[in-house]
């Protein structure tokens, strides 16, 4: 793609922050943690709200797509587009206000979730959603994606914690969304201009489609597909920040966010239940829920073996006994130490009585407890960096299934993958029916691109059959949006399109996600025409098999972007410059 030098020059002349338009920088922002690659035309790292509005105004005049982005850890391809990328992570990353008494915080979108919680910890508070990427995930990205994480069985999703959002539309309208009583909402409708139009027409969209919303939205707790219209059917106190949440940057650009905070737990413990058979682990979830755990996470043998081999994680794997097909990490919170130890002990006795599990190490909060969670959080990156041409790919991994049919669903998904000669790896949130099944494919091969489509189509039909959600936490993006009309039905899908058109009539905000999307096999990072550039090296890369393979072990999950803890990446920590986190993209050439 040719660089528009006049456009970048205008931005550099008017923007106080950074403007990136060289091929190297654009190549860095062309990918995220998904299977997709689309090169942007220009990247802006705004210093403040004025920069954001200037950049959006220039993009609008030039009919340029607009993509708000944080850490770029999207697994569904939300954060790649061929227009203007707004990266908030370098400058707009401040805590603006903390109200300890009322338990809320107001922040800029580029603030990292774990950095926020480090500041809140002395107050005994935290922002509860905890995705595996929390050490680098930006709060704005968590809002855009409606993120949740391991503790969602207790804390729900980001939409359950957002209180207010200050946003700017593509037409430069600035709106401040918060909860309104029916009387306040009616007052908003009576206003002239874009604000009154949005409040009025949004209410009409929900009213026209009320029955469809009640019927078609899945009833599982973990659901983030489409727009959150179901947040407006069982309450008369409407808060339009909840429609911004999970909208993947397709409606507006977030400038400030006010979030609900919750108390930190006083005591914690974790049990690691070992299983000889994978389906036994999934079967054990239902009886575990009787004991009110805060999380139940599954890791399969592939992830465990990678953890034992990895230099960073192997020192933390002492709790793994034998060679389990899978483990369930079962965590408990309580206000008393006695309770946080007694409940897991009772759970262990019940599982033993049912013949489920063969080892049950129990750890109160402390070093061993932290070791367990380190292995869990690092597992995603390790799994994606598996050696060889085939990689565990995210495309069917985000389905959320009712717990009572979860074992049957997983069994049938494994049979689908076996039918297509495809191995899998899996991990994640068994407590809420979101087990991330990742088929292992090489998308440089025509056969595996066909397998990608076939496995996705057949798994999608299973999700419909079991009343699940096609997207439980990773969002629609490029990988799932094309299924939304089939999932929601034509009537409700048209309502989603109406919402998009209401907020973004010129279709500039991250188009092609949620509605009017590409099919799953378009814009792949690899593809059959992909070729590696050759490079002569002195180091042999024996552990990685080759230098070429070491490059492909970079997965985009952004571990090198973390701000606190660890050794990677010191240069990024000092500068917040994306280029210091990764190898030269010129080593990965798509022709």
């Amino acid at each position: 793609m040719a660089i528009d030098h006049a456009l970048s020059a205008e931005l550099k002349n008017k923007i106080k922050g950074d403007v990136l338009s060289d091929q190297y920088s654009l190549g860095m922002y062309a990918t995220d943690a998904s299977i997709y690659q689309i090169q942007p035309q220009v990247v802006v790292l705004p210093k403040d709200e004025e920069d954001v509005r200037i950049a959006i105004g220039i993009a609008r005049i030039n009919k340029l797509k607009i993509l708000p982005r944080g850490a770029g850890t999207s697994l569904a391809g939300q954060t790649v587009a061929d227009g203007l990328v707004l990266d908030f992570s370098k400058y707009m990353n401040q805590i603006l206000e903390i109200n300890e008494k009322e338990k809320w915080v107001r922040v800029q979108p580029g603030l990292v979730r774990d950095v926020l919680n480090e500041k809140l910890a002395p107050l005994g508070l935290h922002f509860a959603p905890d995705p595996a990427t929390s050490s680098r995930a930006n709060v704005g990205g968590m809002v855009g994606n409606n993120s949740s994480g391991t503790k969602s069985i207790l804390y729900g999703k980001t939409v359950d914690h957002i209180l207010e959002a200050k946003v700017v539309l593509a037409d430069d309208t600035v709106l401040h969304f918060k909860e309104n009583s029916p009387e306040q909402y009616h007052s908003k409708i009576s206003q002239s201009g874009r604000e009154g139009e949005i409040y009025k027409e949004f209410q009409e969209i929900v009213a026209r489609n009320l029955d469809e919303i009640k019927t078609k939205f899945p009833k599982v707790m973990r659901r983030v597909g489409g727009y959150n219209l179901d947040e407006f059917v069982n309450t008369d106190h409407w808060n339009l920040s909840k429609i911004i949440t999970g909208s993947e940057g397709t409606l507006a650009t977030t400038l400030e966010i006010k979030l609900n905070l919750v108390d930190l737990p006083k005591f914690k413990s974790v049990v690691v239940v070992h299983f000889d058979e994978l389906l036994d682990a999934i079967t054990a979830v239902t009886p575990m829920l009787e004991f009110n755990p805060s999380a139940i996470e599954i890791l399969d043998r592939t992830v465990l073996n990678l953890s034992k081999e990895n230099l960073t994680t192997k020192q933390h794997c002492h709790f793994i006994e034998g060679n389990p097909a899978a483990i369930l990490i079962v965590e408990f919170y309580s206000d008393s130490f006695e309770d946080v130890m007694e409940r897991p002990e009772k759970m262990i006795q019940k599982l033993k009585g049912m013949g489920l599990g063969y080892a049950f190490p129990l750890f109160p909060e402390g070093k061993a407890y932290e070791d367990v969670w380190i292995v869990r959080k690092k597992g995603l990156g390790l799994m994606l960096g598996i050696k060889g041409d085939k990689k565990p790919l995210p495309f069917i991994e985000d389905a959320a299934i009712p717990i009572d049919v979860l074992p049957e669903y997983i069994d049938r998904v494994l049979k689908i993958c076996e039918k297509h000669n495809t191995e899998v790896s899996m991990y994640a949130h068994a407590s809420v029916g979101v087990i991330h099944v990742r088929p292992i494919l090489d998308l440089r091969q025509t056969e595996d691109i066909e397998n990608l489509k076939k496995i996705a189509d057949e798994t999608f039909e299973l999700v419909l059959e079991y009343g699940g959600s096609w997207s439980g936490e990773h969002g629609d993006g490029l990988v799932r949006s094309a299924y939304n009309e089939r999932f929601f039905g034509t009537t409700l899908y048209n309502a989603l399109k109406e919402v998009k058109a209401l907020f973004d009539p010129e279709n500039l905000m991250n188009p092609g996600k949620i509605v009017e999307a590409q099919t799953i096999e378009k814009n792949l990072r690899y593809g059959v025409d992909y070729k590696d550039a050759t490079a002569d090296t002195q180091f042999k890369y024996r552990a990685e098999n080759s230098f070429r393979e070491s490059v492909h072990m970079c997965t985009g999950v952004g571990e090198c972007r973390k701000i606190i803890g660890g050794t990677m990446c010191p240069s990024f920590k000092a500068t917040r410059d994306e280029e210091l986190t990764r190898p030269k993209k010129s080593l990965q050439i798509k022709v």
Side-chain angles (χ1 to χ4, degrees), residues 70-191:
T73 57
S74 160
L75 290 162
Q78 291 99 324
T79 54
V80 291
D82 65 350
L84 163 72
V85 170
L86 290 166
D87 179 355
F88 293 93
S89 65
K90 185 173 183 177
Y91 299 116
M92 293 184 67
N93 54 23
Q94 301 301 303
I95 297 174
L96 301 175
E97 185 178 5
I98 298 174
N99 190 313
E100 181 180 359
K101 181 179 179 181
E102 297 180 10
K103 298 182 181 179
W104 56 259
V105 65
R106 190 165 56 87
V107 303
Q108 293 180 310
L111 179 66
V112 172
R113 184 266 189 188
D114 281 2
V115 173
L116 169 61
N117 278 351
E118 185 180 53
K119 300 292 185 183
L120 294 171
L123 305 178
L125 298 170
H126 69 141
F127 175 51
D130 65 331
T133 56
S134 63
S135 64
R136 58 272 191 199
N138 290 189
V139 174
M142 292 179 65
V143 170
N145 191 57
N146 196 9
S147 300
S148 44
T150 61
K151 313 297 189 300
S152 63
I153 191 173
L154 282 186
Y155 298 125
K157 309 182 290 293
T158 297
V159 73
D160 301 308
H161 298 273
I162 191 163
L163 300 174
E164 300 179 16
K166 181 182 180 182
V167 305
V168 57
L169 305 184
D171 64 7
D172 197 41
T173 301
V174 175
L175 300 169
H176 190 159
F177 293 135
K178 59 183 178 180
E179 184 177 294
N180 287 281
S181 67
E183 294 77 21
Q184 291 169 325
Y185 197 96
H186 181 75
S187 176
K188 293 284 188 182
I189 288 175
S190 65
Q191 294 179 2

Side-chain angles (χ1 to χ4, degrees), residues 191-211:
Q191 294 179 2
S192 60
R194 284 286 279 142
E195 184 170 18
E197 175 190 23
I198 283 174
Y199 276 87
K200 179 177 183 293
E201 292 191 19
F202 182 75
Q203 185 184 59
E204 291 173 355
I205 292 170
V206 173
R208 284 197 305 271
N209 296 278
L210 192 60
D211 290 339

Side-chain angles (χ1 to χ4, degrees), residues 20-83:
L20 309 176
S21 59
D22 59 285
Q23 287 289 355
Y24 175 40
S25 296
L26 298 181
M28 288 189 300
Y29 284 88
T31 59
D32 50 19
S34 74
I35 59 178
Y36 298 105
Q37 177 173 317
I38 302 176
Q39 182 168 299
Q41 294 187 40
V42 66
V43 177
V44 170
L45 289 77
K47 281 223 170 160
D48 54 25
E49 180 179 322
E50 182 183 34
D51 270 2
V52 176
R53 296 179 67 180
I54 290 171
I56 288 176
I58 292 172
R60 182 178 65 255
I61 291 170
N62 289 275
K63 302 299 181 185
L64 198 63
K65 299 172 185 176
I66 302 163
L67 168 60
R69 171 168 161 154
T73 57
S74 160
L75 290 162
Q78 291 99 324
T79 54
V80 291
D82 65 350

Side-chain angles (χ1 to χ4, degrees), residues 231-242:
E231 291 288 336
F232 300 89
V233 297
N234 296 313
T235 178
D236 60 0
H237 282 61
W238 283 19
N239 183 346
L240 293 194
S241 67
K242 292 182 181 292

Side-chain angles (χ1 to χ4, degrees), residues 1 198 546 569:
M1 178 184 296
I198 283 174
S546 68
C569 177

